[in-house]
Amino acid sequence: MTQANASAMTGAKMIVKALKDQGVEVVFGYPGGAVLPIYDELFLQNDIRHILVRHEQGAVHMAEGYARSTGKPGVVLVTSGPGATNAVTGLTDALLDSIPLVVLSGQVPTFMIGTDGFQEADTVGITRPCTKMNWLVKDTAKLAETIHTAFHVATSGRPGPVLVDIPKDVQFAQAEYVAREKIKTSHYQPRVKGDIEAITKLVELLEKAERPVFYTGGGVINSGTAASQLLRELVDATGFPITSTLMGLGAYPASGRNWLGMLGMHGLYEANLAMHGCDLMINIGARFDDRITGRVADFSPHSVKAHIDIDPSSINKVIRVDLPIVGDVGHVLEDMLRIWKSRGRKVNKEGLAKWWAQITEWKAVDCLDYKNSEKTIKPQYALQRLEALTKGMDRYITTEVGQHQMWAAQFLGFDAPNRWMTSGGLGTMGYGLPASIGVQVAHPEALVINVAGEASWLMNMQEMGTAMQFRAPVKQFILNNERLGMVRQWQELLHGERYSHSWSESLPDFVKLAEAFGCKGIKCSDPKDLDDAIMEMIRYDGPVIFDCLVEKHENCFPMIPSGKPHNEMLLGEAETQGVIKAGGAVLV
Amino acid sequence: MSALNITKGSSSHSAYDLRDPYAEVIESHTLAVLVDNESGVLARVIGLFSGRGYNIDSLTVAEVDHTGHRSRITIVTRGTPQVIEQIKAQLGRLVPVHAVNDLTVEGPAVQRELALLKVAGKGDARIEALRLAEIFRANVVDSTLESFVFEMTGTPEKIDAFAELMRPLGLREVARTGVAALSRGA
Ligand SMILES: Cc1ncc(C[n+]2csc(CCOP(=O)(O)OP(=O)(O)O)c2C)c(N)n1
Ligand SMILES: [Mg+2]
């Protein structure tokens, strides 16, 4: 490549230009020797904002929060070696939850690769199983093209994280920039339109079903807001009940007439029994995860199952379905609605009326009921108050992982997609705090709350520094039970109440910790003070760490123990004695 | 609940290609996977098999299109029908994979493998080895007074059979290429 060439530029410049051409506004990152040329280029421009994190895992979760709340890919920049290895948990998290990310990592110069150079790691080797695709770029002439391809792959079909590993000499060398429009993406074009014959079959089933249920997942959210809109139209027009996985909350509004609540291990009684008893299950963008199915052999034994998914490998992976439809949820729903309408909008009214009567009976069980207390704050109560006091606000919720996460899913209502960010597939403690910052960066005026457990929160608490530096007024609502609550619950139910290492000792004073970071700390332990304390948190103009001291031994119900079918659900303390046999204990 | 009547081939994707859903029989399938010949692509394919617990009985790979930089990976794998469908779907969604063909279900195919076998011995054993080699149409590609190296091509079963016969006659070493396969006809 000749220097004289007008459009020749260094690899580092090319990277920044490619990001701009992809419409990137924010990069979450952390510098180091192998990415200094890129940081130099970032310094010389003002279009892309760089958020300096405190740990690379934080950067990836922030990018996930950013991506999930905007529908755009999140971008991360890390250095070689430890920078890249620190990103691995976040990459795996994004892979399991199908979140589009583009991670750029520095690498030792090409001539040093394989010599165990300083901060050398086999980054593409390490991240191959935890990315949708990754590339090591050894030639500057291929760099721009690779970055554009990376964005295409991350956001096409089933979204996911990708990584581009860039040796330092490739960042310094010059080559010609390849424009975004010039790249060939023809061979990676996952199919989006569903098979019309199969969709028509599904409409026929829909017209006759006596006990139908929509079982929706994160695929609806990933498909875009239009898909959520179509889903609402379909559900309301057919009058069918609808449940959703943890990942899909908000696609259909929690305030909607046909909403059954979340299903699964800690899902609602009516949702799980509807799944168990239905005669037609319409899976839209969900993947029959083991948290959903319980014992596979007894999963929804009397239903015809249809499955709409953009990823052919999701079909028949866990549950044999009768009617697979490979395609993008939005496209398939559009065709489905059109065909159903053109055939006269038929449903089995009589069957449906009986089905709803049955569901109403199940609802009357009031499975989320709990014993409240005047003395201690029950975690469920704290979330009910949080819900009531933030209702109608421009609100985004992230969570950590544990009991608090499940209670948040049960007690908070989401009326729009992209408002609920939680680590579903990987269950990554430490996700919520950085994710909340990523959400806030994308939505500076919104109220962003991380519903946290004290143990999870400590895992990435260093990111409070990031929140302070970039004025991200995130609210850390910590349900502090001084326990690894979910672990403690399992030990109580499965391991003879031997609470092996499941309590949080030597916890910091969260209020003082807040002061140390320069933000606001609030502590609350009396139910009577809770409303005022929550309002104080909401009104404070800046980050808040809210230490909400809750009941220490509360269990999360309903619960389908591992290895049990949906209709063997535990509803409360009275039913928990010796319920989980050895077979269930080996499952997680 | 029986599978709905979706005509086979109503979609290009294998998800519609339902065989007996309850069959628990283990089948052997030969898959031809056309991939971009780029660094890491073999690791990606092998990692998929090890990471998800699938079997590889044989694997061969070589660039078959030097201008387009495409390699053909031929994999012989085993599993229940459901697992085989999963393997194909999982391979199919890898970004550098262009096509996955199941030669076992897509009609008749020819399979060949090349093997080199070193057999050492004297006297009757040596004569017997040579005689069997002729029957199996194996060529002698190297010989000393005390050894032969035989070259043979054939199906894996034929090579297995020959190697089994050579064992008591002084089989020392075997090198096999793994299976290459193509569908029959145009
Ligand atoms: C990184 C990581 N390590 C371990 C676990 C296993 N785990 C799941 S929930 C949990 C306890 C979480 O405690 P806390 O954050 O206080 O939430 P609580 O259940 O008390 O609400 C643990 C240890 C995990 N999910 N993630
Ligand atoms: Mg806790």
Side-chain angles (χ1 to χ4, degrees):
Chain A
M1 200 56 54
T2 53
Q3 294 276 35
N5 198 321
S7 56
M9 60 178 84
T10 65
K13 204 178 191 71
M14 214 179 255
I15 291 164
V16 174
K17 181 165 168 52
L19 294 182
K20 281 184 199 170
D21 287 354
Q22 288 289 341
V24 174
E25 289 166 357
V26 191
V27 170
F28 301 92
Y30 207 84
V35 284
L36 286 182
I38 306 172
Y39 271 85
D40 216 16
E41 287 298 332
L42 284 174
F43 187 82
L44 295 170
Q45 57 85 52
N46 286 315
D47 296 331
I48 296 177
R49 192 169 175 218
H50 178 273
I51 304 290
L52 178 72
V53 301
R54 300 300 184 264
H55 184 295
E56 290 87 349
Q57 185 189 352
V60 186
H61 293 324
M62 281 180 212
E64 286 187 273
Y66 181 91
R68 288 182 66 169
S69 66
T70 61
K72 294 192 279 190
V75 181
V76 175
L77 175 59
V78 297
T79 194
S80 65
T85 56
N86 274 350
V88 165
T89 301
L91 286 169
T92 313
D93 192 88
L95 185 72
L96 280 178
D97 283 348
S98 306
I99 310 302
L101 297 184
V102 176
V103 177
L104 308 176
S105 56
Q107 182 55 278
V108 300
T110 49
F111 53 85
M112 276 178 70
I113 289 177
T115 65
D116 297 325
F118 177 63
Q119 295 196 325
E120 180 182 357
D122 176 8
T123 300
V124 284
I126 291 168
T127 61
R128 197 172 287 127
C130 61
T131 52
K132 185 175 172 189
M133 181 65 188
N134 63 13
W135 298 264
L136 169 64
V137 184
K138 288 184 176 163
D139 178 357
T140 309
K142 297 227 174 89
L143 184 54
E145 182 192 335
T146 307
I147 292 173
H148 292 313
T149 306
F151 275 88
H152 172 72
V153 170
T155 53
S156 304
R158 180 176 180 172
V162 300
L163 178 139
V164 185
D165 200 26
I166 312 165
K168 197 171 181 183
D169 56 335
V170 173
Q171 300 169 30
F172 276 124
Q174 299 221 354
E176 202 166 332
Y177 181 75
V178 178
R180 179 182 178 175
E181 303 73 36
K182 292 261 169 63
I183 63 150
K184 288 197 298 285
T185 52
S186 52
H187 112 264
Y188 188 73
Q189 295 292 354
R191 162 191 184 134
V192 290
K193 289 287 274 183
D195 183 276
I196 289 292
E197 215 183 304
I199 296 174
T200 310
K201 283 246 157 68
L202 177 52
V203 170
E204 284 168 20
L205 292 172
L206 211 130
E207 290 168 343
K208 290 193 214 104
E210 290 178 6
R211 302 185 310 279
V213 67
F214 285 114
Y215 150 44
T216 61
V220 185
I221 312 246
N222 274 338
S223 180
T225 42
S228 292
Q229 216 42 56
L230 288 162
L231 177 71
R232 288 159 191 229
E233 200 189 322
L234 182 67
V235 172
D236 294 341
T238 55
F240 290 2
I242 174 170
T243 178
S244 161
T245 65
L246 184 72
M247 295 300 296
L249 297 178
Y252 184 82
S255 57
R257 208 161 34 96
N258 300 3
W259 179 237
L260 299 182
M262 179 178 78
L263 81 160
M265 184 176 268
H266 292 289
L268 272 68
Y269 184 71
E270 50 269 37
N272 284 327
L273 287 195
M275 288 287 280
H276 192 80
C278 65
D279 71 343
L280 173 64
M281 177 184 297
I282 308 158
N283 174 342
I284 309 177
R287 59 182 177 89
F288 295 109
D289 179 86
D290 57 77
R291 300 292 97 159
I292 297 306
T293 59
R295 185 156 73 214
V296 168
D298 297 317
F299 176 69
S300 191
H302 309 297
S303 60
V304 172
K305 298 174 186 72
H307 187 183
I308 303 165
D309 203 301
I310 198 158
D311 180 359
S313 77
S314 286
I315 286 169
N316 292 332
K317 181 171 66 179
V318 179
I319 297 291
R320 263 283 160 181
V321 295
D322 305 284
L323 183 54
I325 299 173
V326 176
D328 168 61
V329 166
H331 285 82
V332 175
L333 285 178
E334 201 178 346
D335 285 336
M336 209 168 134
L337 258 168
R338 184 174 46 75
I339 295 169
W340 179 70
K341 283 180 186 166
S342 73
R343 289 166 54 105
R345 300 166 162 267
K346 285 175 281 196
V347 293
N348 182 338
K349 288 216 178 74
E350 222 174 288
L352 269 180
K354 273 196 218 146
W355 183 222
W356 272 112
Q358 169 68 76
I359 290 171
T360 309
E361 259 175 51
W362 289 332
K363 279 191 174 184
V365 166
D366 195 9
C367 68
L368 294 184
D369 192 32
Y370 64 96
K371 218 181 281 151
N372 209 350
S373 153
E374 304 229 306
K375 285 202 212 76
T376 51
I377 301 176
K378 288 290 182 114
Q380 300 96 322
Y381 177 71
L383 287 164
Q384 279 179 324
R385 294 318 301 154
L386 185 72
E387 170 78 354
L389 295 169
T390 59
K391 195 118 215 131
M393 291 182 181
D394 181 14
R395 183 190 79 178
Y396 291 83
I397 300 285
T398 68
T399 77
E400 303 288 346
V401 171
Q403 291 179 314
H404 63 276
Q405 176 190 30
M406 292 298 114
W407 281 315
Q410 293 173 341
F411 287 91
L412 303 180
F414 299 93
D415 280 345
N418 307 100
R419 297 271 170 170
W420 162 250
M421 271 61 49
T422 191
S423 172
L426 195 64
T428 310
M429 292 171 70
Y431 168 88
L433 164 50
S436 70
I437 297 172
V439 174
Q440 190 83 72
V441 165
H443 309 277
E445 305 302 326
L447 172 64
V448 182
I449 304 170
N450 174 30
V451 175
E454 81 294 339
S456 297
W457 192 82
L458 291 176
M459 284 208 175
N460 272 322
M461 69 165 189
Q462 76 285 347
E463 300 305 333
M464 281 313 288
T466 310
M468 285 305 294
Q469 182 182 344
F470 295 93
R471 299 180 197 285
V474 290
K475 314 302 180 198
Q476 303 301 316
F477 192 64
I478 303 175
L479 295 175
N480 183 355
N481 52 12
E482 298 175 13
R483 299 290 181 278
L484 312 184
M486 190 57 92
V487 172
R488 193 207 57 76
Q489 176 167 347
W490 280 55
Q491 289 172 334
E492 180 183 325
L493 299 178
L494 284 148
H495 295 271
E497 300 180 48
R498 291 179 295 280
Y499 298 121
S500 180
H501 303 278
S502 58
W503 62 93
S504 297
E505 252 190 41
S506 308
L507 282 172
D509 178 328
F510 286 101
V511 173
K512 280 195 187 143
L513 189 65
E515 282 162 14
F517 275 111
C519 64
K520 186 177 183 62
I522 299 174
K523 187 183 196 127
C524 186
S525 58
D526 188 332
K528 284 190 285 301
D529 302 332
L530 187 59
D531 276 23
D532 287 345
I534 290 176
M535 285 316 293
E536 191 185 354
M537 171 182 88
I538 294 170
R539 289 203 189 104
Y540 182 73
D541 182 17
V544 176
I545 301 175
F546 190 120
D547 184 11
C548 188
L549 292 164
V550 297
E551 166 64 46
K552 299 185 203 310
H553 288 164
E554 193 72 11
N555 282 334
C556 184
F557 293 111
M559 177 180 185
I560 303 174
S562 289
K564 294 276 183 177
H566 280 173
N567 58 347
E568 292 181 39
M569 197 180 324
L570 309 177
L571 284 174
E573 304 290 349
E575 300 178 327
T576 59
Q577 297 310 316
V579 283
I580 306 173
K581 301 285 177 320
V586 300
L587 300 167
V588 288
Chain B
M1 196 58 51
S2 69
L4 293 167
N5 267 333
I6 301 168
T7 41
K8 203 168 161 179
S10 65
S11 149
S12 61
H13 194 265
S14 61
Y16 298 94
D17 182 26
L18 297 179
R19 295 194 299 284
D20 178 6
Y22 303 108
E24 281 303 308
V25 290
I26 303 289
E27 301 175 349
S28 172
H29 284 241
T30 304
L31 309 179
V33 188
L34 203 61
V35 300
D36 287 322
N37 184 15
E38 59 187 27
S39 79
V41 67
L42 190 58
R44 214 172 285 283
V45 169
I46 293 172
L48 172 73
F49 276 75
S50 63
R52 291 186 185 267
Y54 307 142
N55 295 297
I56 299 180
D57 286 343
S58 159
L59 183 141
T60 62
V61 56
E63 191 171 85
V64 290
D65 171 1
H66 296 308
T67 44
H69 301 291
R70 296 282 167 79
S71 291
R72 185 177 171 108
I73 303 177
T74 308
I75 303 170
V76 182
T77 183
R78 252 175 309 124
T80 61
Q82 185 181 4
V83 167
I84 299 286
E85 289 309 314
Q86 260 299 298
I87 292 173
K88 289 190 272 181
Q90 293 290 351
L91 284 168
R93 72 181 189 143
L94 295 180
V95 176
V97 168
H98 290 259
V100 181
N101 286 296
D102 185 340
L103 298 177
T104 306
V105 300
E106 289 175 12
V110 281
Q111 295 202 19
R112 286 294 179 274
E113 187 176 4
L114 184 143
L116 297 173
L117 303 96
K118 185 178 285 178
V119 180
K122 289 182 184 165
D124 285 351
R126 184 173 161 83
I127 294 162
E128 181 62 6
L130 200 57
R131 206 178 64 79
L132 286 166
E134 258 167 46
I135 296 170
F136 275 79
R137 292 183 220 281
N139 300 319
V140 177
V141 291
D142 176 70
S143 78
T144 67
L145 291 176
E146 294 175 357
S147 70
F148 290 118
V149 174
F150 296 116
E151 173 210 329
M152 75 179 296
T153 53
T155 62
E157 294 73 28
K158 180 179 165 189
I159 294 170
D160 284 345
F162 184 63
E164 216 37 61
L165 288 172
M166 288 300 115
R167 204 170 301 283
L169 301 177
L171 185 67
R172 288 286 151 83
E173 258 184 280
V174 184
R176 298 173 67 151
T177 58
V179 172
L182 281 181
S183 62
R184 288 180 189 271

